Amino acid sequence: MLGILRAKVACRGVPASGLEQGIRVIASRAFSSSAKQMTVRDALNSALDEEMSADPTVFIMGEEVGEYQGAYKITKGLLDKYGPQRVVDTPITEAGFAGIGVGAAYHSLRPVIEFMTFNFSMQAIDHIINSAAKSNYMSAGQISVPIVFRGPNGAAAGVGAQHSQCYAAWFGACPGLKVLAPYSSEDARGLLKAAIRDPDPVVFLENELLYGESFPVSAEVLDSSFCLPIGKAKIEREGKDVTITAFSKMVGYALQAADILAKEGISAEVTETIHLIFYVSVEDIVRAAKRTCYRSVPLAATA
């Protein structure tokens, strides 16, 4: 909730840092009084639904996104609501439908391309990097490519190596791509909306093991106008001794580590780097470094 309020303040042009103390108080009150539970799967589904409803240029393309309602049911109900011209089932040909998506984005449509797993995006890597990511630079800013490549990324349960690699570092090292990896339902909903609205190509890395996880969301998060700013880190837990950074599913483990450290007298701040690697917010890094410098921590507490 703190992240939401900070984002709203920033959107109004008011420096968030100057209102930090007040925001924390408001956030704690609002979170306890208005939070509901929502799975990451439902958060993604609702974000797609609302953006398709608001903008007729948004469409979804991928394997089993329509009749089967998505391999992980992220696109459930969308075919019935928007029809086969906007929820497009494709053959098993990642290079083909990714290329079609990039071409559609060249012509001012907003495609959302689903990979059944990002391991299979390697079949379409030329379109993602050479066609989508580099076009804005190569055209001196004349061509925007508003496309989202999304799907499960990283290790999951009971699948082989060809379904288990994390491609965050790969895509994060490619100029021209914005790479997002949400953790909670709030992140998934707000960032997918922002990705769809963005004028540039976005790689949206989900985690299969998080789809069924439920997280508290406020009424503000459920509002159709809600979205999160791309490029800002999110403080999941405040601390003053040390900062732990993580993204995607590892945020949950970082929070558990912070609980363990708290029992040893170490106050750990957990910062979620939901916007990865290439677009790093220097302000967030400097703020964390200033806030969590070690001060007289006993060696026994760090052993």
Side-chain angles (χ1 to χ4, degrees), residues 197-233:
R197 299 175 191 181
D198 199 89
D200 297 312
V202 177
V203 171
F204 198 88
L205 304 174
E206 301 154 12
N207 186 281
E208 178 184 336
L209 297 175
L210 288 174
Y211 284 146
E213 293 288 327
S214 293
F215 295 88
V217 292
S218 68
E220 185 176 8
V221 173
L222 297 174
D223 189 273
S224 61
S225 64
F226 173 76
C227 74
L228 289 173
I230 293 177
K232 298 295 292 182

Side-chain angles (χ1 to χ4, degrees), residues 136-153:
N136 188 264
Y137 174 78
M138 294 288 289
S139 66
Q142 297 180 72
I143 298 176
S144 293
V145 190
I147 187 170
V148 177
F149 302 98
R150 56 152 295 271
N153 169 74

Side-chain angles (χ1 to χ4, degrees), residues 109-153:
L109 297 179
R110 292 184 176 271
V112 179
I113 302 301
E114 177 177 309
F115 295 118
M116 196 174 293
T117 164
F118 258 95
N119 294 261
F120 301 160
S121 72
M122 295 297 100
Q123 301 290 331
I125 197 71
D126 183 58
H127 292 302
I128 297 171
I129 295 176
N130 287 323
S131 298
K134 297 179 181 178
S135 289
N136 188 264
Y137 174 78
M138 294 288 289
S139 66
Q142 297 180 72
I143 298 176
S144 293
V145 190
I147 187 170
V148 177
F149 302 98
R150 56 152 295 271
N153 169 74

Side-chain angles (χ1 to χ4, degrees), residues 14-39:
V14 180
S17 58
L19 298 176
E20 193 78 20
Q21 185 173 359
I23 288 174
R24 289 184 193 126
V25 174
I26 296 170
S28 62
R29 291 174 181 171
F31 187 85
S32 60
S33 62
S34 62
K36 296 182 179 180
Q37 293 289 318
M38 173 181 266
T39 65

Side-chain angles (χ1 to χ4, degrees), residues 23-203:
I23 288 174
R24 289 184 193 126
V25 174
I26 296 170
S28 62
R29 291 174 181 171
F31 187 85
S32 60
S33 62
S34 62
K36 296 182 179 180
Q37 293 289 318
M38 173 181 266
T39 65
V40 171
R41 176 181 289 106
D42 289 341
L44 294 167
N45 177 266
S46 66
L48 288 169
D49 185 9
E50 290 171 9
E51 293 305 301
M52 292 182 73
S53 177
D55 186 348
T57 67
V58 177
F59 71 96
I60 301 169
M61 180 181 289
E63 298 158 5
E64 300 185 343
V65 297
E67 293 289 346
Y68 192 66
Q69 305 193 77
Y72 297 94
K73 301 299 181 271
I74 305 300
T75 54
K76 183 177 181 179
L78 299 183
L79 175 64
D80 291 340
K81 189 170 183 178
Y82 298 104
Q85 288 190 324
R86 294 185 67 194
V87 183
V88 184
D89 276 324
T90 70
I92 303 174
T93 171
E94 285 80 7
F97 63 77
I100 291 171
V102 173
Y106 281 170
H107 290 274
S108 302
L109 297 179
R110 292 184 176 271
V112 179
I113 302 301
E114 177 177 309
F115 295 118
M116 196 174 293
T117 164
F118 258 95
N119 294 261
F120 301 160
S121 72
M122 295 297 100
Q123 301 290 331
I125 197 71
D126 183 58
H127 292 302
I128 297 171
I129 295 176
N130 287 323
S131 298
K134 297 179 181 178
S135 289
N136 188 264
Y137 174 78
M138 294 288 289
S139 66
Q142 297 180 72
I143 298 176
S144 293
V145 190
I147 187 170
V148 177
F149 302 98
R150 56 152 295 271
N153 169 74
V159 295
Q162 298 94 333
H163 293 69
S164 300
Q165 185 166 341
C166 176
Y167 287 91
W170 283 47
F171 289 118
C174 296
L177 291 178
K178 297 177 181 179
V179 184
L180 306 177
Y183 166 60
S184 66
S185 300
E186 176 186 313
D187 300 337
R189 180 171 159 78
L191 287 173
L192 183 54
K193 282 173 159 287
I196 293 171
R197 299 175 191 181
D198 199 89
D200 297 312
V202 177
V203 171

